[in-house]
Amino acid sequence: MSTALAGPDGAPRCPWALSTPDYVTYHDEEWGRPVHGDDALYERLSLEAFQSGLSWITILRRRPGFRAAFAGFDIAKVAAFTDDDRERLLADTGIIRNRAKIDATLANARVLADWAPGDLDDLIWSHAPEPGRPVPKTLADVPAVTPESTALSKALKKRGLRFVGPTTAYALMQACGLVDDHLETCVARGPRA
């Protein structure tokens, strides 16, 4: 079972973070840190949906392209995208050109544009697990789905969002700091500002 391993600077990190410098930076500076704000959470939710079936590094390296293509994931701007914008996205080599994922991202923006400010943030964070979860010692201790991610997925779907299954919801929870799945001896584990 994989435990934290020495990174390029000798500090222990989650093993998945050591394959590329991009991963080390993402692991150390973003993954597991609290994210708030509807647009920021919409971006993470969209990128996690695009990642489904792919390696996260594929999405991470194209994130600048995604941000450019989707107007910085500004919900109001994406909600106003037209059929011409959809066709532009389907032809954009800077993103993943998956029709179902693009359509879900556009549809989700239209749904979210009708929510009150802060509703997405409140809904997502209301599914954060209670403190005191066991700290993962190895990668085998890190789940792919939890009761909380299943409940979050159901709540998002009930409110009209698409491409938000329980595994995607849990990946979102990990990426946005609702859970801290850094391994026990990982340098990035623990409270952060």
Side-chain angles (χ1 to χ4, degrees):
M1 299 298 137
S2 295
T3 59
L5 301 173
D9 59 359
R13 287 182 177 79
C14 301
W16 63 263
L18 300 176
S19 62
T20 73
D22 294 338
Y23 264 164
V24 172
T25 300
Y26 175 72
H27 169 272
D28 289 1
E29 297 176 9
E30 286 188 66
W31 193 73
R33 295 183 186 230
V35 173
H36 287 282
D38 293 343
D39 290 338
L41 289 165
Y42 167 64
E43 174 184 1
R44 299 320 191 288
L45 184 63
S46 300
L47 294 177
E48 293 296 345
F50 273 101
Q51 186 271 329
S52 181
L54 301 170
S55 165
W56 178 246
I57 196 68
T58 302
I59 304 305
L60 189 59
R61 288 182 175 157
R62 292 183 186 209
R63 187 163 54 173
F66 276 107
R67 286 176 171 165
F70 286 98
F73 289 97
D74 180 301
I75 293 168
K77 289 179 182 176
V78 178
F81 278 17
T82 65
D83 286 341
D84 287 343
D85 291 306
R86 180 178 178 272
E87 293 307 311
R88 171 185 55 80
L89 293 167
L90 288 168
D92 190 335
T93 59
I95 65 170
I96 304 301
R97 295 173 293 167
N98 178 294
R99 184 177 309 275
K101 294 174 183 181
I102 288 170
D103 288 347
T105 302
L106 298 177
N108 288 347
R110 292 181 189 116
V111 168
L112 292 170
D114 290 335
W115 292 19
D119 276 1
L120 180 61
D121 193 298
D122 290 345
L123 177 64
I124 288 173
W125 278 91
S126 73
H127 289 82
E130 293 295 321
R133 290 178 66 219
V135 175
K137 293 177 180 14
T138 70
L139 291 179
D141 297 331
V142 178
V145 174
T146 64
E148 294 88 358
S149 75
T150 300
L152 175 57
S153 171
K154 287 179 182 177
L156 292 167
K157 288 178 182 179
K158 184 176 181 181
R159 296 279 309 260
L161 298 182
R162 297 167 32 188
F163 240 100
V164 290
T167 303
T168 298
Y170 193 68
L172 174 75
M173 294 170 79
Q174 291 173 305
C176 294
L178 280 75
V179 296
D180 185 351
D181 277 343
H182 287 285
L183 299 183
E184 183 177 46
T185 57
C186 177
V187 68
R189 177 155 191 89
R192 293 173 292 276

